[in-house]
Amino acid sequence: MTKRDFPTFLLYFLGFMLLWEWLRPVEELTKTNGIEMFIGFLLVSFGLFFLKIKWFWHGLINLLIILISINRLYFDEGFFHFQWLKDFSSDLIHNIGYIASRDWNELSNDFRSLLFFILLWLMVYLIHYWLIKRSRIFIFFFLTLVYITVLDTFTTYSAKTAIVRTVIVGFTVMGMLTYYRMQHKEKLHNQPAAFKKWMVPILGMIAISVLFGIMTPKAAPLWPDPVPYLKATGKKGEAGSGGAGPHRVGYGTNDAALGGPFIADNKPVFKYEASGKFYWKMETKDTYTGKGWIPSGAATITYEQDESVPIVAFPSTLKISKETAIVKTNGNYQYPYLMYPFGIKKVLKISPIDPDGNVFLIDKNIERIGYYNHKQRPSIPWTFAVEFEVPEYTETELKATTEYNSAVLAPEFYKRYTQVPDKLPDRVRVLAEKITAGETNWYDKAKVVESYFSSNEYTYDQKNVAVPGKNIDYVDQFLFETKKGYCDNFSSSMAVLLRSVGIPTRWVKGFNGGEFVKFGEGTSGTQIFEVKNKNAHSWVEVYFPNLGWVPFEPTKGFSNPIDIDFGTEQPSSGNQTPAPSSVNKPVQKPERDPEATKIQSEKSADVSNNWRMTQIFFKENWKLLTLIIILISAIVTALYRVRGKWLPYLILLRFRFNRQDEAYGTAYLVLLQQLERYGLKRKDHQTLRNYAIYVDQFFSSREMTRLTSRYEQFLYSRNLPEGSWKEDRKLWENLIKKTIA
């Protein structure tokens, strides 16, 4: 089987096909590019094993292929322009430092690809070992089936043909390996005719079984799908994919088709340390299509770090308070975009992936900030700080705008942010006019629309959310028919209602303030919050010519993230929404002693908060924990059942480096226990000498008798000639090895 003949070539090829099934879903489910290079690497690696290339040349060729692939994937210079190799070596040193400090999120993409190549290299060697040395492949075949079926169930990857391919390849390989094991056991010569006679019936049975499996009718499932929300059609279930249907909540870039339920996702996205809780913007959208939101165009500009961000939310004449926040993104966050608070001024570098040359590319049309490293490639912003300003509005300034004035507000701008579809149902406009009737300024109209959704008529719901049909408007359906939904329904409806009465409004998406984790260190009085996928949120901003953009929050259970100074007056609108308990602007607290703050932080974070988080964790993950316990129990049971295969090796290792004669007694007793586990049980009242004779007769040796004689000498005299254990350890090891099942 180690010859370079066709059956051996076929074994390697089928092993490659099995490993390829692990790579097929990677390109579809992840952002991994250049998958063909990984496949080519597998082909070359298997070919080198088949050709029996010496290990030195084998490793050199594989290393050369890895370097060529990394050069083509991540560097613009040619392979023989060695500047790229210098940059890659420097990056390699940085990444090794990140590994040493366990800062996994800082690893660069080229280093991750290097690790992936090394993993594939190891897998090729393991398959070579299983196929050629051990003639067994069932475990890898079984794991491949489990892998593709799990992906088929819980992701958008369709494994129908993959399962068929894997079954054909797996059973073919196992049939060939069974033949070779029988040949080796019976010490038969390798005869091509015998191999053909063996394989033809096996291939025939596999072909017939597969055909029957494909052609026969399938019974309907006995139980309903246990993961209906995790398995959405196509890419509808992906966050922000633009498909209406079950969504796993989280930030996404496509909002062209809104609607349908979503599944809460507790994966953390980022943490931030600031003086209080704030909303975090990702982007805005200005064109409502009747199904969702799209940008009307793109206007990108580049600026460097530490420069002022070219986003102007409000005029400089407003009274403001300056704030700073430090953001640390989680490994679950995979977008090269920055989250930022309203009123952002600067983005400061803290610990980026690349040392120099980082730039930000902002699309001013949607106000989305992209991060680019020194290689001019999109990169994930792992850690950064933002400086921003929090405006304080006065009631007089907010109520100053009563109507549109083309001399103050450009007609193109006004038209862009009052756009509604031509097919928008008339009853939406009628409702907007009815709600705002009697209000004389834009602010009061915006507030009364914002408050309109606080009535009991509308319900916040994440599951029973309708998907608009082909000729049904998304906002119209929510306003007049379902009246159930989450932030996208509320925010889109408020934006369209305000646009219907001529007030410029835009749709904003990002994250709400998240959950409190603990107080910050030191005496600055900062707090640390954690934002998860489930905190993804949308709201609206209304444009006032004298104030710029002003945020509003129509969604039930969320507070308006603006600070208004009413002075001694009261707002004219009697429908002011009371702020919920979770507010976005921090309340100023009296100064506390630093030591008291530290003690309070420890108490709340380490006792109350940890206990609450533990309860929530077990409540939300009890199914997963149960599955893990079952798997661990199964693994422990399986290891116990096959303990005869691995326990002797542990026994040998235990006494391998013990050279003292005092170990003789313990080693002999351990040997007795192992022989009993093997099946050579010592009978009641049977002397050690008689038992030793019985064992030696079973193994056709004299080793047990000699060990027993020396053990009796140790047992009765407690004294052995120096070096006895060193002299007899080989006999003891031979007996232990003979018990390996």
Side-chain angles (χ1 to χ4, degrees):
M1 193 170 65
T2 59
K3 296 181 179 180
R4 286 180 286 186
D5 52 11
F6 177 74
T8 306
F9 172 80
L10 185 59
L11 274 178
Y12 280 120
F13 176 75
L14 294 176
F16 160 75
M17 293 297 293
L18 280 178
L19 189 53
W20 191 7
E21 294 299 339
W22 290 75
L23 281 180
R24 290 178 188 271
V26 171
E27 191 170 28
E28 180 178 337
L29 300 179
T30 70
K31 297 180 180 180
T32 305
N33 296 320
I35 201 72
E36 65 279 354
M37 294 187 180
F38 297 110
I39 295 173
F41 175 76
L42 292 180
L43 285 171
V44 173
S45 297
F46 277 111
L48 293 174
F49 274 117
F50 173 71
L51 296 174
K52 297 183 178 180
I53 303 298
K54 290 185 177 180
W55 67 268
F56 175 79
W57 297 108
H58 188 149
L60 189 63
I61 293 172
N62 275 348
L63 182 61
L64 186 63
I65 294 174
I66 292 173
L67 292 176
I68 292 174
S69 301
I70 290 177
N71 173 263
R72 292 190 60 184
L73 287 172
Y74 297 103
F75 295 90
D76 297 327
E77 302 92 342
F79 181 75
F80 295 101
H81 291 77
F82 294 107
Q83 180 61 37
W84 78 268
L85 193 58
K86 182 179 178 181
D87 294 339
F88 178 63
S89 300
S90 176
D91 187 63
L92 194 64
I93 294 172
H94 284 297
N95 281 279
I96 292 174
Y98 294 143
I99 291 178
S101 61
R102 294 181 294 180
D103 200 354
W104 315 114
N105 291 337
E106 298 288 348
L107 299 180
S108 61
N109 289 332
D110 48 0
F111 186 73
R112 293 168 191 259
S113 295
L114 175 64
L115 295 180
F116 192 51
F117 273 114
I118 295 174
L119 175 63
L120 293 179
W121 194 347
L122 292 174
M123 289 302 301
V124 171
Y125 172 76
L126 286 175
I127 292 177
H128 159 76
Y129 175 77
W130 290 329
L131 291 176
I132 305 303
K133 303 295 183 182
R134 300 290 296 172
S135 295
R136 298 181 185 276
I137 200 67
F138 174 76
I139 293 178
F140 184 70
F141 168 52
F142 175 74
L143 290 177
T144 305
L145 283 176
V146 172
Y147 169 72
I148 59 179
T149 51
V150 168
L151 290 183
D152 181 74
T153 303
F154 293 97
T155 72
T156 59
Y157 178 67
S158 177
K160 291 182 180 179
T161 56
I163 293 175
V164 175
R165 289 193 303 266
T166 304
V167 167
I168 293 174
V169 171
F171 279 106
T172 302
V173 172
M174 288 195 297
M176 295 178 65
L177 295 179
T178 301
Y179 171 80
Y180 285 121
R181 287 199 304 273
M182 293 174 58
Q183 182 188 61
H184 178 74
K185 183 177 181 180
E186 301 297 333
K187 299 181 180 180
L188 301 175
H189 294 291
N190 187 12
Q191 299 178 355
F195 179 75
K196 291 180 181 178
K197 290 180 180 179
W198 174 267
M199 290 304 300
V200 168
I202 290 178
L203 294 176
M205 287 187 292
I206 293 174
I208 293 173
S209 300
V210 170
L211 287 175
F212 267 99
I214 294 174
M215 298 175 62
T216 52
K218 312 298 187 298
L222 298 177
W223 296 282
D225 189 353
V227 284
Y229 291 108
L230 297 179
K231 189 177 180 182
T233 304
K235 290 189 178 181
K236 292 178 180 180
E238 296 298 321
S241 64
H247 296 268
R248 181 169 290 279
V249 66
Y251 170 72
T253 59
N254 191 336
D255 305 291
L258 301 177
F262 72 75
I263 308 120
D265 188 351
N266 286 313
K267 290 181 180 178
V269 181
F270 65 96
K271 289 183 179 180
Y272 67 94
E273 182 175 354
S275 62
K277 187 181 291 188
F278 297 94
Y279 275 23
W280 293 82
K281 294 174 61 173
M282 296 296 298
E283 60 186 59
T284 68
K285 297 289 175 65
D286 58 3
T287 302
Y288 175 67
T289 64
K291 299 295 182 184
W293 293 88
I294 60 174
S296 59
T300 56
I301 60 173
T302 303
Y303 67 97
E304 296 184 359
Q305 59 196 21
D306 299 333
E307 292 183 350
S308 295
V309 179
I311 296 177
V312 180
F314 46 82
S316 58
T317 55
L318 287 179
K319 182 181 178 181
I320 57 109
S321 58
K322 293 185 178 181
E323 300 279 353
T324 302
I326 300 175
V327 181
K328 174 74 173 180
T329 57
N330 189 274
N332 295 315
Y333 183 70
Q334 298 297 325
Y335 289 97
Y337 307 125
L338 274 71
M339 56 289 295
Y340 60 92
F342 181 75
I344 184 172
K345 288 299 175 183
K346 285 186 179 181
V347 179
L348 308 176
K349 182 176 78 170
I350 297 294
S351 177
I353 296 175
D354 305 295
D356 298 302
N358 306 311
V359 296
F360 300 100
L361 182 66
I362 179 172
D363 186 343
K364 294 190 68 176
N365 191 60
I366 61 174
E367 297 189 352
R368 184 170 66 197
I369 303 176
Y371 174 77
Y372 284 73
N373 60 24
H374 72 286
K375 301 174 186 176
Q376 301 300 309
R377 294 184 176 89
S379 186
I380 298 173
W382 296 119
T383 305
F384 59 95
V386 288
E387 290 182 356
F388 59 102
E389 297 175 347
V390 179
E392 297 181 9
Y393 302 101
T394 64
E395 184 182 17
T396 302
E397 292 172 329
L398 288 167
K399 295 184 176 183
T401 304
T402 58
E403 61 182 8
Y404 167 62
N405 186 346
S406 60
V408 179
L409 196 59
E412 296 81 7
F413 181 92
Y414 182 77
K415 181 179 179 181
R416 174 183 172 188
Y417 289 106
T418 55
Q419 169 272 338
V420 291
D422 294 335
K423 295 183 180 180
L424 183 71
D426 292 335
R427 60 180 179 173
V428 176
R429 293 186 176 88
V430 172
L431 177 63
E433 293 172 357
K434 179 181 177 181
I435 295 173
T436 59
E439 305 297 345
T440 58
N441 60 79
W442 283 7
Y443 174 72
D444 284 339
K445 290 182 179 181
K447 286 304 295 180
V448 77
V449 172
E450 180 187 53
S451 302
Y452 174 74
F453 298 102
S454 63
S455 68
N456 294 331
E457 193 175 1
Y458 291 92
T459 305
Y460 184 89
D461 197 327
Q462 300 174 356
K463 295 183 179 180
N464 300 317
V465 184
V467 179
K470 182 178 180 181
N471 299 317
I472 298 177
D473 184 89
Y474 173 69
V475 167
D476 179 81
Q477 183 185 56
F478 172 71
L479 288 174
F480 298 100
E481 296 177 12
T482 63
K483 299 185 179 181
K484 289 183 178 181
Y486 42 89
C487 57
D488 290 348
N489 300 88
F490 287 91
S491 57
S492 297
S493 298
M494 179 176 179
V496 171
L497 287 172
L498 290 179
R499 289 184 173 198
S500 299
V501 293
I503 300 177
T505 312
R506 65 183 181 184
W507 189 69
V508 188
K509 62 181 299 186
F511 298 90
N512 63 44
E515 300 173 357
F516 171 80
V517 177
K518 61 181 180 179
F519 289 103
E521 297 181 0
T523 60
S524 59
T526 59
Q527 303 172 54
I528 297 177
F529 298 88
E530 184 174 55
V531 178
K532 301 179 180 179
N533 274 327
K534 68 179 182 179
N535 297 119
H537 192 54
S538 62
W539 60 99
V540 297
E541 290 178 354
V542 179
Y543 191 83
F544 297 88
N546 61 325
L547 299 175
W549 293 105
V550 178
F552 286 84
E553 178 56 88
T555 306
K556 272 193 168 183
F558 295 81
S559 62
N560 193 327
I562 64 173
D563 188 13
I564 302 174
D565 181 10
F566 289 107
T568 58
E569 303 177 15
Q570 296 298 325
S572 62
S573 174
N575 297 320
Q576 189 74 14
T577 305
S581 58
S582 176
V583 295
N584 297 284
K585 179 63 181 173
V587 179
Q588 296 295 328
K589 300 180 180 180
E591 294 185 1
R592 294 179 292 178
D593 180 71
E595 190 65 26
T597 301
K598 182 178 180 181
I599 295 173
Q600 179 64 27
S601 173
E602 292 175 353
K603 288 182 178 180
S604 60
D606 297 336
V607 181
S608 178
N609 191 56
N610 282 355
W611 173 244
R612 181 176 62 86
M613 295 301 293
T614 302
Q615 289 179 312
I616 293 174
F617 174 79
F618 279 100
K619 184 177 180 181
E620 294 181 349
N621 299 279
W622 68 270
K623 292 183 179 179
L624 177 61
L625 293 173
T626 303
L627 179 61
I628 291 174
I629 293 173
I630 294 174
L631 288 175
I632 293 175
S633 302
I635 293 172
V636 171
T637 303
L639 288 174
Y640 179 78
R641 291 177 64 89
V642 297
R643 62 190 183 280
K645 294 182 179 296
W646 56 267
L647 186 59
Y649 292 105
L650 291 181
I651 296 173
L652 291 172
L653 184 64
R654 175 184 173 185
F655 292 91
R656 175 62 55 88
F657 303 104
N658 196 331
R659 301 175 182 270
Q660 298 179 356
D661 292 332
E662 288 77 5
Y664 212 110
T666 305
Y668 186 84
L669 295 177
V670 169
L671 175 61
L672 292 179
Q673 294 174 353
Q674 179 60 22
L675 289 171
E676 184 173 347
R677 278 191 292 266
Y678 182 70
L680 300 176
K681 187 176 181 180
R682 180 185 172 193
K683 297 179 181 179
D684 295 337
H685 308 297
Q686 187 177 22
T687 64
L688 286 177
R689 292 193 178 187
N690 289 336
Y691 179 66
I693 294 172
Y694 168 67
V695 172
D696 284 337
Q697 289 177 346
F698 183 86
F699 289 121
S700 300
S701 69
R702 296 277 300 169
E703 295 164 341
M704 189 63 183
T705 300
R706 180 173 176 179
L707 288 172
T708 301
S709 176
R710 192 68 67 96
Y711 173 71
E712 288 178 338
Q713 181 181 354
F714 169 78
L715 186 64
Y716 296 117
S717 66
R718 290 292 174 181
N719 187 25
L720 287 173
E722 186 176 353
S724 296
W725 170 241
K726 182 179 179 181
E727 180 182 347
D728 293 343
R729 182 168 60 85
K730 198 67 177 177
L731 302 177
W732 178 85
E733 288 182 352
N734 290 338
L735 282 173
I736 293 292
K737 290 177 181 178
K738 288 177 181 180
T739 63
I740 298 177

